[in-house]
């Protein structure tokens, strides 16, 4: 809906699973999707810790090695899906949630 084209879902690269790979123009997005039914364990995006970010960056590098995208800018996003009994499911797309060096 926002002009993204899904390139891959649940892609395996470098022994890492990448939830979503999407393209919008010259931008290639690697996205981690986190879902929570309650805040008992915190907000969904809080689960994307240093280890998970490091793993996604490593997987993105492996995916890019296997699927060269000349001139594409790369971004790492988080999509947080959260259940609220009063309002149902809500989605937050955190664009540029972290950098490869974070």
């Amino acid at each position: 809906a926002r002009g993204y084209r899904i390139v891959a879902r649940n892609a395996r690269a470098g022994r890492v699973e990448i939830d979503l790979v999407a393209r919008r123009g010259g931008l290639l997005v690697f996205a981690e999707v986190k879902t929570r039914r309650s805040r008992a364990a915190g907000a969904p995006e809080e689960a994307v810790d240093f280890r998970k970010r490091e793993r996604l960056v490593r997987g993105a590098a492996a995916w890019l090695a296997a699927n060269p995208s000349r001139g594409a800018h790369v971004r790492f996003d988080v999509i947080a899906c959260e259940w609220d009994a009063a309002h149902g499911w809500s989605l937050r797309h955190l664009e540029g949630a972290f950098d490869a060096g974070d």
Side-chain angles (χ1 to χ4, degrees), residues 55-94:
R55 190 169 174 76
L56 184 57
V57 168
R58 195 177 55 227
W63 192 90
L64 286 166
N67 302 278
S69 295
R70 295 190 205 292
H73 294 282
V74 172
R75 188 176 75 199
F76 296 93
D77 293 1
V78 173
I79 299 172
C81 307
E82 196 166 13
W83 175 255
D84 179 316
H87 302 100
W89 286 102
S90 67
L91 299 173
R92 287 186 307 284
H93 181 185
L94 305 167

Side-chain angles (χ1 to χ4, degrees), residues 50 53-54 57 74-77 95-102:
F50 176 79
R53 291 189 306 264
E54 188 176 67
V57 168
V74 172
R75 188 176 75 199
F76 296 93
D77 293 1
E95 296 180 357
F98 62 92
D99 292 323
D102 285 355

Side-chain angles (χ1 to χ4, degrees), residues 9-55:
R9 287 183 176 93
N10 302 321
R12 304 266 330 152
R15 296 186 346 213
V16 174
E17 183 175 312
I18 303 166
D19 292 337
L20 290 173
V21 181
R23 180 178 285 283
R24 183 169 68 181
L27 177 66
L28 194 60
V29 175
F30 294 90
E32 178 68 20
V33 178
K34 285 296 178 190
T35 303
R36 294 286 181 267
R37 289 192 169 271
S38 80
R39 285 264 173 141
E45 59 270 27
E46 292 172 359
V48 185
D49 59 9
F50 176 79
R51 259 184 66 215
K52 187 64 180 176
R53 291 189 306 264
E54 188 176 67
R55 190 169 174 76

